Amino acid sequence: MVFIVVKKSEQEQFLYETTCKESNDVLIRNLVKVNNMRLKTDLLAGAIEELGKYGPAKPEVDKGIDEIKDAAHESEGGTIPNRGTNYNADPSGNRTGEAPDPKLQELLSKVAKDSRQCLGADQVRLKLPCTIELLQEKLDTIRGAVTMAYPMGLPKYDPIRMAIEDTEHSQDIYGPGQLDPATAQLWWAGKEFFRDQTVGDRVGRNEKTKVIAKLLNPGSGAPAREPAVSEEERKAMMAHYFKKQEQMKRLAEDNEDQFMNSSWANSSALKQSLNGTGSIRFR
């Protein structure tokens, strides 16, 4: 298998398996689908955590901090509405604060954490590929958890419902990280993967090849080459250099002759050792 690491940054990257015989067009379309599904999974993982804490989203006209709105409502002679036993005010004012049952809150948090785990950069170090099937499984789990927490369904304007029901991966939901499978470009070592070729035409015929590639929008041009050392290696090298520099500075400042009292600086050590007087100490 050919391993392709699609890398945006040290934190945003994933591993994908393919073969030398795979068409570049099929490869790019699959990589774009994985990329877009990762965006959707990450967005939903963060959103269901907020859902568990603060409940469904408010309509656009009702958004605002509840404490301020309630105070204004009371000053006009109104009454504060009953928001339920699990009410937890949303500090951003975007959600109703009517959280689900504590056990369901724990479930949503657990599902969010599990979904984010498959998106981490450590998956590349562990050599765990990110597949369409795996991401679909996480999305189905998120959908199931939301249904359990709110069996009557979320409002149509709730971003979670909009993302779950969005099968086209609309860019206005997921932002500029969204890619078009028909126009996206894959680059490696300053060269583009042309869609009318195969993977083997670009990386060679060795099925054990591993490359670090970039997935970009059209017109972006060739990306910058990967640095020779990673950020962690660079930090380790800088720390080692600084430590050596401090050691050399201390040696340069040490002009004392205390070392003359050391056994290794004794010019008569061999003679004393042969005479059996090497261990004698005078006080």
Side-chain angles (χ1 to χ4, degrees):
M1 301 297 290
V2 176
F3 292 96
I4 297 180
V5 179
V6 179
K7 186 175 180 181
K8 290 183 180 178
S9 65
E10 291 295 331
Q11 292 73 35
E12 295 183 62
Q13 53 182 306
F14 65 90
L15 183 67
Y16 187 83
E17 282 185 342
T18 186
T19 64
C20 291
K21 296 180 180 179
E22 183 80 276
S23 164
N24 285 343
D25 181 62
V26 174
L27 171 66
I28 293 172
R29 290 180 181 275
N30 287 339
L31 289 177
V32 168
K33 188 169 185 178
V34 170
N35 175 79
N36 294 345
M37 291 180 74
R38 282 171 60 86
L39 290 174
K40 182 173 184 175
T41 304
D42 186 49
L43 181 145
L44 283 171
I48 64 172
E49 281 187 322
E50 295 292 303
L51 178 68
K53 293 178 182 178
Y54 307 118
K58 297 177 181 178
E60 195 66 33
V61 294
D62 293 338
K63 286 184 178 180
I65 299 175
D66 290 339
E67 184 179 357
I68 297 175
K69 293 179 67 177
D70 290 346
H73 196 56
E74 275 188 313
S75 66
E76 295 174 356
T79 57
I80 299 176
N82 182 16
R83 296 189 174 97
T85 57
N86 297 319
Y87 174 72
N88 182 24
D90 183 5
S92 67
N94 292 324
R95 296 188 172 274
T96 62
E98 299 173 5
D101 182 84
K103 290 184 178 180
L104 293 173
Q105 293 181 33
E106 184 179 352
L107 171 66
L108 291 170
S109 177
K110 184 178 179 180
V111 170
K113 183 178 179 180
D114 178 65
S115 299
R116 278 210 177 102
Q117 187 175 1
C118 74
L119 306 178
D122 57 334
Q123 301 293 297
V124 175
R125 291 188 288 271
L126 295 173
K127 298 181 180 179
L128 298 175
C130 190
T131 63
I132 295 172
E133 293 75 19
L134 174 64
L135 293 171
Q136 188 60 54
E137 178 186 339
K138 300 303 179 184
L139 290 172
D140 290 341
T141 304
I142 290 174
R143 182 185 293 108
V146 172
T147 302
M148 289 179 64
Y150 293 92
M152 299 301 292
L154 294 173
K156 291 183 179 181
Y157 49 79
D158 194 297
I160 296 176
R161 177 172 175 176
M162 293 169 63
I164 288 176
E165 295 179 351
D166 176 44
T167 57
E168 301 298 326
H169 302 286
S170 304
Q171 190 167 6
D172 57 346
I173 296 179
Y174 307 105
Q178 189 79 6
L179 296 172
D180 185 353
T183 60
Q185 297 176 341
L186 184 66
W187 292 79
W188 168 64
K191 297 180 180 179
E192 183 183 354
F193 281 69
F194 296 111
R195 290 178 180 260
D196 57 350
Q197 296 179 343
T198 64
V199 175
D201 293 332
R202 176 56 64 216
V203 303
R205 302 299 175 183
N206 186 357
E207 289 286 354
K208 296 182 180 180
T209 303
K210 179 181 177 181
V211 301
I212 299 177
K214 299 280 188 180
L215 197 60
L216 304 172
N217 281 313
S220 301
R225 290 179 179 270
E226 284 292 311
V229 294
S230 65
E231 185 64 19
E232 289 78 9
E233 291 172 334
R234 188 188 69 81
K235 290 179 180 178
M237 291 168 64
M238 292 295 292
H240 176 73
Y241 172 75
F242 180 76
K243 183 179 179 181
K244 292 292 291 183
Q245 192 178 42
E246 290 298 309
Q247 289 176 347
M248 296 301 294
K249 188 184 297 184
R250 286 195 298 268
L251 288 174
E253 293 173 352
D254 188 7
N255 296 321
E256 299 182 4
D257 57 357
Q258 294 178 357
F259 68 91
M260 295 298 292
N261 296 324
S262 301
S263 59
W264 57 266
N266 186 3
S267 60
S268 302
L270 178 60
K271 180 180 178 180
Q272 292 176 356
S273 177
L274 293 174
N275 292 334
T277 60
S279 59
I280 297 176
R281 295 288 182 270
F282 296 96
R283 296 186 180 181

